[in-house]
């Protein structure tokens, strides 16, 4: 385990003042390895928060390239990045801003054939993807690897956020319990539209939940959080495992 340096104590002094964080919490962040899937509206901001907080290594996975329509909500990028891989350009920019953090980029779409080798050895996965097949693939891989997962999604003025961890909260189930694989999703950012601050709100909460899990503080498991961006309200629902779930029932 890498210890905190004098520069770490100076840089993260405001976080270290929090009794829930302290030196042990900051050490947990520094020695953490996070896989972040999807470097779009959610992922590009979550990556910045995690890197700025002192997370030691972040793997950015995304096979998409920057488009002009991304720029209003994906603030890590600018016009000069159009046509570049989001994961590669994002890693380059983040390395300049946060040299204390190690970055790795993946430019291929994660699938059941390749995802397991990227999840191996990570402490946490953030699913910031924008399609149901990828979310199910990520969920299944995290369940198999016993790796905590924080997933968020946004469409129109609605956002969802929850965490999955079969070790600490097996009775809360997994992504498949909540959204079975045959679920028909008719809206996403591309079809329903979205505002930048909506994505930013969920990305901030996803980052906070991820940090809490890495530091072992708070109670992030067992609940689904839904944000209504028109009413400015949060709704909380308890999660429970589907006893017939083909993905996670064998782990409880």
């Amino acid at each position: 385990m890498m210890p905190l340096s004098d520069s770490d104590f100076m840089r993260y002094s405001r976080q270290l003042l929090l009794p829930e964080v302290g030196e042990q919490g900051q050490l947990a962040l520094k020695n953490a390895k996070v896989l972040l899937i999807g470097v779009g509206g959610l992922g590009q901001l979550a990556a910045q928060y995690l890197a700025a907080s002192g997370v030691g290594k972040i793997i950015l996975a995304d096979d998409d390239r920057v488009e002009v329509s991304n720029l209003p909500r994906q603030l890590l990028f600018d016009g000069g990045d159009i046509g570049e891989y989001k994961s590669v350009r994002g890693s380059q920019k983040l390395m300049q801003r946060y040299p204390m953090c190690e970055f790795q980029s993946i430019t291929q779409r994660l699938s059941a054939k390749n995802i397991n080798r990227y999840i191996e050895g990570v402490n946490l996965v953030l699913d910031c993807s924008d399609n149901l097949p990828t979310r199910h693939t990520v969920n299944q891989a995290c369940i198999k690897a016993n790796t905590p997962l924080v997933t968020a999604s946004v469409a129109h003025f609605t956002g969802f956020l929850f965490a999955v961890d079969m070790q600490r909260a097996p009775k809360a189930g997994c992504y498949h319990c909540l959204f079975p694989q045959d679920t028909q999703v008719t809206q996403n950012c591309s079809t329903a539209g979205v505002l930048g601050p909506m994505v930013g709100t969920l990305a901030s909460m996803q980052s906070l939940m991820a940090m809490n899990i890495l530091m072992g503080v708070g109670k992030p498991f067992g609940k689904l959080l839904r944000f209504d961006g028109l009413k400015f309200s949060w709704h909380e629902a308890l999660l429970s495992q589907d006893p017939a779930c083909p993905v996670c029932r064998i782990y409880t």
Side-chain angles (χ1 to χ4, degrees):
M1 177 176 287
M2 294 180 60
L4 296 181
S5 64
D6 290 342
S7 61
D8 289 333
F9 279 101
M10 293 178 63
R11 178 180 290 271
Y12 306 115
S13 59
R14 299 302 183 271
Q15 295 177 190
L16 288 160
L17 286 172
L18 294 167
E20 295 85 357
V21 179
E23 185 174 351
Q24 287 303 114
Q26 196 63 52
L27 273 171
L29 294 177
K30 182 171 184 173
N31 289 280
K33 181 179 178 182
V34 174
L35 172 62
L36 193 153
I37 301 169
V39 193
L42 292 167
Q44 55 83 34
L45 183 55
Q48 293 180 73
Y49 270 122
L50 294 181
S53 74
V55 169
K57 181 172 182 178
I58 301 175
I59 305 170
L60 301 179
D62 198 319
D63 66 334
D64 283 344
R65 298 175 185 264
V66 180
E67 301 177 0
V68 67
S69 62
N70 301 148
L71 302 184
R73 64 191 180 280
Q74 299 179 21
L75 305 184
L76 181 61
F77 306 115
D78 55 48
D81 301 322
I82 293 175
E84 301 286 342
Y85 278 111
K86 293 179 180 179
S87 56
V88 173
R89 195 69 187 106
S91 292
Q92 292 170 344
K93 288 192 164 187
L94 289 166
M95 277 190 283
Q96 292 178 345
R97 300 179 190 179
Y98 310 106
M100 72 295 296
C101 181
E102 181 183 351
F103 295 94
Q104 178 184 342
S105 58
I106 301 170
T107 58
Q108 60 183 147
R109 182 175 291 270
L110 297 189
S111 66
K113 295 181 179 180
N114 62 21
I115 191 171
N116 291 329
R117 71 171 179 263
Y118 295 118
I119 285 184
E120 184 178 358
V122 305
N123 302 100
L124 179 69
V125 175
L126 267 69
D127 186 351
C128 307
S129 63
D130 61 358
N131 65 89
L132 202 60
T134 296
R135 291 174 189 155
H136 279 289
T137 297
V138 173
N139 176 69
Q140 292 171 19
C142 287
I143 296 297
K144 182 178 179 180
N146 269 325
T147 302
L149 166 67
V150 181
T151 183
S153 61
V154 182
H156 197 245
F157 283 92
T158 300
F160 291 95
L161 172 70
F162 62 100
V164 174
D165 189 326
M166 287 294 105
Q167 290 185 329
R168 284 175 278 193
K171 294 182 179 180
C174 68
Y175 188 89
H176 191 282
C177 296
L178 191 59
F179 300 107
Q181 204 144 7
D182 58 358
T183 301
Q184 297 296 315
V185 177
T186 58
Q187 290 188 332
N188 57 35
C189 290
S190 299
T191 59
V194 69
L195 291 175
M198 267 297 301
V199 179
T201 299
L202 269 297
S204 298
M205 296 295 290
Q206 187 178 22
S207 305
L208 178 59
M209 185 175 285
M211 291 173 64
N212 283 359
I213 292 172
L214 291 172
M215 295 186 295
V217 302
K219 298 180 180 179
F221 301 109
K223 52 192 174 185
L224 170 69
L225 300 174
R226 176 182 178 273
F227 179 65
D228 186 325
L230 291 176
K231 296 180 180 178
F232 289 89
S233 60
W234 285 93
H235 301 276
E236 180 180 314
L238 295 179
L239 294 175
S240 60
Q241 185 184 43
D242 178 357
C245 177
V247 177
C248 70
R249 65 180 175 181
I250 61 175
Y251 293 93
T252 56

